[in-house]
Amino acid sequence: MNAGETQRAPWIVGVSGASGTPYAAAVLRALLVAGEAVDLVVSRASRLTLLDETGISFRDAHWRDDLREWLARGADGKPDTFQVDVDPVRYWNAGDLAAGPSSGSYPAKGMLIVPASTACVAGVALGLSKDLLQRAASVVLKERRRLVVAVREAPLNGQTLRHLVALDDAGATVVPASPAFYAGATHIQDLVDFVAGRVLDAAGVPHTLYRRWEGELGGGSRDD
């Protein structure tokens, strides 16, 4: 890096195998709109979920094209709903334990795991580091950077609840993928964007994904 250049400091986005790939897409789009650099880690299990929920095969050799197609798709499955520039994204294979995010010396603002499966939650809480997604989360915790975990499962058993408490104790923020309705949702994309917005709120990233509560009853039902 030359003198005067700004060091790239991305948000690491980890996508686990839980259902909810539209949540991940909404978070990724909003980060890019906000001008943030992104490092993307897609777990092996999440590729199966993505294929099942969208019909998109996420391939290492063609990840940029596949990511562009994914992020362009609306939560209702309609293609070409959004226009997205994926140039600020750097992709790391989940099996690459020598990747940049595996080290605390790698500059990163923090990490967002969306959606987070119960297996992913357990792996991070126990420090298993079985793949790059879990290892990067462990690094973020040890470096005292922001870790936001958007858990997507129902119902939650005692073991998973204990793992979530452990993550909270370690400094992570747990955001259940639980959409609210006070913001005036009229479309599935509105519900997805609400969850994505709460994830970004926890990370401190500005966005306009949902209507915020202003202390007035009925505000969500008003026309803009």
Side-chain angles (χ1 to χ4, degrees):
M1 184 174 66
N2 297 327
E5 289 185 359
T6 301
Q7 187 179 48
R8 182 180 182 275
W11 283 100
I12 303 166
V13 177
V15 186
S16 81
S19 176
T21 54
Y23 293 131
V27 166
L28 287 164
R29 284 194 298 265
L31 286 171
L32 295 171
V33 168
E36 299 285 350
V38 174
D39 276 20
L40 178 63
V41 181
V42 178
S43 76
R44 292 180 62 185
S46 69
R47 294 172 189 243
L48 299 177
T49 307
L50 182 64
L51 179 62
D52 184 55
E53 294 184 345
T54 69
I56 296 172
S57 296
F58 196 90
R59 304 159 295 176
D60 286 345
H62 305 281
W63 71 265
R64 195 175 295 277
D65 292 336
D66 297 337
L67 177 62
R68 187 178 293 108
E69 181 183 0
W70 176 26
L71 298 191
R73 189 177 297 262
D76 58 0
K78 184 178 179 180
D80 301 322
T81 300
F82 302 97
Q83 292 185 344
V84 184
D85 178 13
V86 300
D87 286 344
V89 179
R90 179 179 293 171
Y91 168 71
W92 301 97
N93 183 286
D96 185 3
L97 291 176
S102 68
S103 172
S105 66
Y106 183 78
K109 291 183 178 180
M111 183 172 184
L112 316 175
I113 304 178
V114 54
S117 66
T118 54
C120 174
V121 166
V124 177
L126 297 174
L128 298 182
S129 295
K130 73 169 188 176
D131 61 9
L132 179 60
L133 195 160
Q134 292 184 15
R135 171 59 186 169
S138 295
V139 167
V140 166
L141 286 176
K142 80 180 182 68
E143 297 295 328
R144 301 296 190 266
R145 297 167 183 161
R146 291 193 185 189
L147 174 63
V148 183
V149 179
V151 61
R152 215 304 307 163
E153 185 59 89
L156 295 171
N157 63 24
Q159 187 176 48
T160 298
L161 290 170
R162 285 187 287 273
H163 289 152
L164 292 172
V165 170
L167 288 178
D168 180 78
D169 289 342
T173 300
V174 177
V175 179
S178 176
F181 295 85
Y182 63 78
T186 59
H187 189 276
I188 187 174
Q189 189 67 54
D190 299 326
L191 298 175
V192 167
D193 285 348
F194 181 88
V195 172
R198 296 301 287 153
V199 170
L200 293 170
D201 287 345
V205 177
H207 66 87
T208 57
L209 287 176
Y210 67 89
R211 186 202 304 266
R212 296 185 180 277
W213 176 251
E214 296 179 348
E216 182 180 352
L217 293 177
S221 61
R222 293 198 312 265
D223 293 332
D224 291 328

